[in-house]
Amino acid sequence: MKATQQLHDLGQSLWLDNITRGLLTSGTLGRYINELSVTGLTSNPTIFEHAIKEADFYDDAIRQKALAGKSGEALFFELALEDLTQAADLFAPVHAGTGGVDGWVSLEVSPLLADDTAGSIKAAAQLHGRAQRPNLFIKIPGTRAGLPAIEETIFAGVPVNVTLLFSREHYIAAAEAYMRGIERRIAAGLDPAVSCVASLFVSRWDVAIKDKVPQDLRNRLGIAIAMRTYMAYRELLASARWQKLADAGARPQRLLWASTGTKDPAASDTLYLEALAAPDTINTIPEKTLLAFAEHGKVKAALPLDGGDAEALLAEFVRAGVDNAALAADLQREGTAAFAKSWRDLMDRIASKIDVLTKAGQT
């Protein structure tokens, strides 16, 4: 049995952190669903920018949309929605077969809205409405401005993937925003079954401190943070507040491991998959990590519900001079800035493509 199937049987969903038109038209995504137990997909501006840069799959569509007067964000969201609605349809049987628990795809609001609560709320509603797919998450960052947008978007009945979470405290804030939205729906007599996932970024911790800690602590901080967060996740699901919502028909906000491709060439290419196997969670991974795990990955013991040795390990990082709270804040700020840069790069890439393709059409 493939390691990917073993993870699935353990109760963890394996999602692909990639989307390109080539993946769809070649049948590769369908093969990953059928052969590698892939049950969902995430996307971000960097993924789309690379896809448009490195292949010609989008050229005809960009040319046609440009000739119709589209450019910038408007053109991009048309492209993205074409891809993601097609992917959503591929995952529709999984979505139906799991009662809406799995089979999701994700589309991000513009990262330039990270500090704009009202703009994020409006964009989330518009994008989800345009997609017309029940299994499309709208990604909103768990920033200070994003948290009230998440609450309001959940209250409006739009499924949310909370992104850019880096710590237990970030996760708890996102969970509380989700629960407030659900509590308001119940109070208003609305259906509380609105789906949500909370995406904790893992490997960026290890990249940030790789040259600042002893060798024996390298590539261990992200996993320790994840284990601490998993304990908080389990405690929340056992809490009286959540049980009341569950009894009313609410769905758990599932914890998702993001940024789980190994960045250190000296470490195992399946490090974060093997370390973070856990029921009722999701791991979204790059394509090369998926293929590596299918080939030689090992499914070991599931994460302990009590966080295992996470606190003892985190205490070692404190002694090594790592301030986890300050670093979590830094990572979220840096992640927000990096996503904004990727967005601007994407807009520049589209503008460049339009220029080249429309000139070529005139010759």
Side-chain angles (χ1 to χ4, degrees):
M1 184 187 295
K2 287 189 175 71
T4 51
Q5 181 64 45
Q6 292 177 47
L7 261 190
H8 179 81
D9 292 347
L10 181 142
Q12 184 174 69
S13 299
L14 200 55
W15 291 3
L16 181 67
D17 189 28
N18 193 25
I19 179 72
T20 70
R21 196 149 291 187
L23 270 176
L24 296 165
T25 57
S26 67
T28 301
L29 180 58
R31 181 168 58 82
Y32 290 163
I33 294 170
N34 295 328
E35 298 178 11
L36 300 183
S37 306
V38 170
T39 57
L41 176 149
T42 51
S43 70
N44 62 49
T46 303
I47 287 170
F48 277 108
E49 196 269 334
H50 287 168
I52 292 169
K53 174 184 176 182
E54 295 170 7
D56 60 2
F57 292 113
Y58 294 92
D59 287 6
D60 287 343
I62 290 173
R63 182 187 299 109
Q64 291 169 14
K65 294 179 193 306
L67 291 173
K70 297 286 174 62
S71 63
E73 288 192 3
L75 189 153
F76 165 69
F77 279 121
E78 282 198 7
L79 290 176
L81 284 166
E82 287 168 0
D83 282 2
L84 287 165
T85 53
Q86 188 176 342
D89 291 343
L90 282 174
F91 287 111
V94 174
H95 190 71
T98 58
V101 172
D102 212 340
W104 290 88
V105 302
S106 296
L107 174 64
E108 192 158 356
V109 300
S110 167
L112 304 185
L113 297 173
D115 295 321
D116 185 346
T117 300
S120 295
I121 294 166
K122 181 180 179 181
Q126 288 179 340
L127 290 171
H128 195 261
R130 287 173 62 186
Q132 292 293 298
R133 295 297 188 279
N135 56 332
L136 178 88
F137 278 129
I138 301 299
K139 293 174 80 171
I140 301 175
T143 56
R144 185 183 300 274
L147 292 170
I150 290 158
E151 176 185 340
E152 201 63 39
T153 301
I154 290 294
F155 176 63
V158 174
V160 175
N161 177 342
V162 184
T163 187
L164 283 176
L165 305 176
F166 286 92
S167 67
R168 173 185 60 192
E169 291 72 24
H170 287 172
Y171 158 71
I172 291 170
E176 289 180 344
Y178 167 66
M179 289 190 291
R180 286 194 301 270
I182 295 297
E183 287 163 346
R184 289 172 57 196
R185 285 184 67 82
I186 292 170
L190 300 171
D191 182 1
V194 181
S195 295
C196 188
V197 297
S199 297
L200 185 84
F201 285 51
V202 180
S203 68
R204 295 189 187 192
W205 284 93
D206 296 319
V207 172
I209 54 100
K210 65 182 171 69
D211 297 322
K212 302 174 183 177
V213 296
Q215 184 68 37
D216 64 336
L217 289 180
R218 289 191 179 183
N219 300 310
R220 300 179 71 189
L221 179 55
I223 293 167
I225 292 289
M227 291 173 68
R228 167 192 268 181
T229 305
Y230 182 66
M231 180 179 175
Y233 170 58
R234 285 300 181 183
E235 288 176 342
L236 186 146
L237 292 179
S239 69
R241 181 182 181 186
W242 172 250
Q243 287 302 316
K244 182 179 179 181
L245 298 182
D247 289 345
R251 294 176 170 176
Q253 179 196 54
R254 297 173 78 201
L255 184 58
L256 181 151
W257 311 126
S259 185
T260 51
T262 305
K263 307 297 193 295
D264 182 352
S268 166
D269 55 0
T270 59
L271 171 68
Y272 298 105
L273 274 126
E274 295 182 0
L276 300 176
D280 305 313
T281 64
I282 303 156
N283 199 327
T284 186
I285 58 174
E287 193 171 359
K288 68 177 182 179
T289 308
L290 169 69
L291 296 175
F293 189 70
E295 180 187 46
H296 55 256
K298 305 292 184 191
V299 177
K300 303 174 183 178
L303 285 183
L305 300 180
D306 64 359
D309 64 352
E311 293 306 319
L313 184 53
L314 289 168
E316 289 190 48
F317 281 100
V318 171
R319 288 192 289 273
V322 177
D323 183 334
N324 292 327
L327 183 53
D330 289 344
L331 288 169
Q332 190 176 69
R333 280 193 298 272
E334 290 166 7
T336 302
F339 276 15
K341 181 183 183 303
S342 290
W343 186 258
R344 294 187 182 96
D345 289 345
L346 173 60
M347 295 301 108
D348 289 345
R349 179 66 55 192
I350 289 172
S352 175
K353 277 276 188 180
I354 289 173
D355 186 52
V356 170
L357 294 170
T358 53
K359 283 182 179 176
Q362 294 168 359
T363 59

